Amino acid sequence: MASLSPSLHLPCNSRTGFLEKTHGIRPRVLPAGRVGFVRTVVECKESRIGKQPIEVPSNVTLTLEEQFVKAKGPLGELSLSFPGDVKIVKEESGKLRVYKTAETKRANQMHGLFRTLTDNIIVGVSKGFDKKLQLVGVGYRAAVEGNDLVMNLGFSHPVRMAIPEGLAVKVEENTRIIVSGYDKSAIGQFAATIKKWRPPEPYKGKGIRYMDEVVRRKEGKAGKKK
């Protein structure tokens, strides 16, 4: 190591210290052998959802091709592509399992997510899903006309929505809407679009809500005290 300049070898003045100008500062130089880095391997915990096996009903036909899975059942056909962080394996018992291919945070997230997505397509093509909505408000009502869902929601005109292909919509008692099908994501998207027309307001609770939704109510303005 190159020698320091002579001005840096002067003794430090203890009276002045760092409060006044001094040329007596001697830096401490550590030997190169004492400097190093410690590498630690962080292992991500296995997802509790991801490690669960997936049951495959007898009426569902599966096609596995590396990172691609296709499920065909009595209600329809769905497919799913897997990222490189996870893989899907079919066991001798007929069950499916999703495994991580790397010990990273992203792989741990994809583990549980794609296990759920795989289970959704298998349940969807065999049993199907549904989403129920409730209309709350005076004069609010809905009806199915052909391939359209028509709703009266207090606007100057009725709201007309085309029902997407692969979904079925049924109205009960004029105020209860049931969206069903085999694609869970499509059902949730269409139900959210319906609700977006009239989200429930917090004072009287009027609007469109999910059947299992709890609307937090607010207290209105109190009258002026005398």
Side-chain angles (χ1 to χ4, degrees):
M1 185 174 180
S3 60
L4 300 175
S5 60
S7 62
L8 296 179
H9 285 282
L10 298 176
C12 180
N13 189 349
S14 60
R15 292 183 180 180
T16 57
F18 292 95
L19 298 178
E20 298 179 2
K21 292 183 179 180
T22 178
H23 299 286
I25 300 175
R26 179 180 295 178
R28 184 180 177 186
V29 181
L30 294 176
R34 296 185 184 180
V35 179
F37 298 94
V38 179
R39 288 187 176 182
T40 57
V41 179
V42 179
E43 253 185 63
C44 298
K45 293 183 179 178
E46 191 174 9
S47 170
R48 291 179 294 176
I49 297 175
K51 66 183 180 182
Q52 296 177 4
I54 302 172
E55 299 282 348
V56 181
S58 58
N59 59 350
V60 175
T61 304
L62 283 178
T63 303
L64 298 179
E65 297 178 0
E66 296 182 355
Q67 297 296 96
F68 180 81
V69 59
K70 181 170 68 174
K72 186 176 182 180
L75 299 182
E77 181 178 327
L78 291 172
S79 59
L80 182 66
S81 296
F82 282 70
D85 304 283
V86 292
K87 64 178 181 180
I88 185 167
V89 176
K90 187 174 183 179
E91 298 180 335
E92 295 180 358
S93 60
K95 297 180 181 179
L96 296 178
R97 282 190 182 272
V98 179
Y99 294 98
K100 294 185 293 182
T101 59
E103 288 294 335
T104 60
K105 183 178 179 180
R106 174 179 166 80
N108 196 49
Q109 295 168 344
M110 297 296 105
H111 189 202
L113 171 63
F114 275 84
R115 189 269 172 199
T116 301
L117 293 178
T118 306
D119 185 64
N120 286 346
I121 67 173
I122 293 175
V123 175
V125 298
S126 59
K127 299 179 181 178
F129 296 98
D130 60 20
K131 196 77 173 175
K132 299 178 181 180
L133 301 101
Q134 180 73 41
L135 276 62
V136 179
V138 178
Y140 287 13
R141 62 183 183 275
V144 176
E145 296 180 2
N147 197 41
D148 292 343
L149 173 65
V150 182
M151 297 180 292
N152 293 321
L153 302 174
F155 298 119
S156 60
H157 58 281
V159 176
R160 184 177 294 269
M161 299 179 64
I163 301 173
E165 185 179 357
L167 299 184
V169 177
K170 184 172 63 172
V171 177
E172 296 178 350
E173 300 177 0
N174 295 330
T175 57
R176 189 180 301 118
I177 302 173
I178 303 174
V179 183
S180 59
Y182 59 88
D183 190 346
K184 190 174 183 179
S185 60
I187 294 170
Q189 181 62 48
F190 187 63
T193 306
I194 295 173
K195 182 184 174 184
K196 192 176 178 180
W197 282 102
R198 275 292 190 190
E201 52 92 14
Y203 295 101
K204 294 184 179 180
K206 292 171 56 178
I208 305 174
R209 66 178 72 177
Y210 299 121
M211 290 294 293
D212 55 352
E213 181 180 3
V214 177
V215 179
R216 298 185 64 181
R217 304 287 291 274
K218 291 182 179 179
E219 186 178 354
K221 292 183 179 180
K224 189 175 180 180
K225 296 182 179 179
K226 296 182 180 180

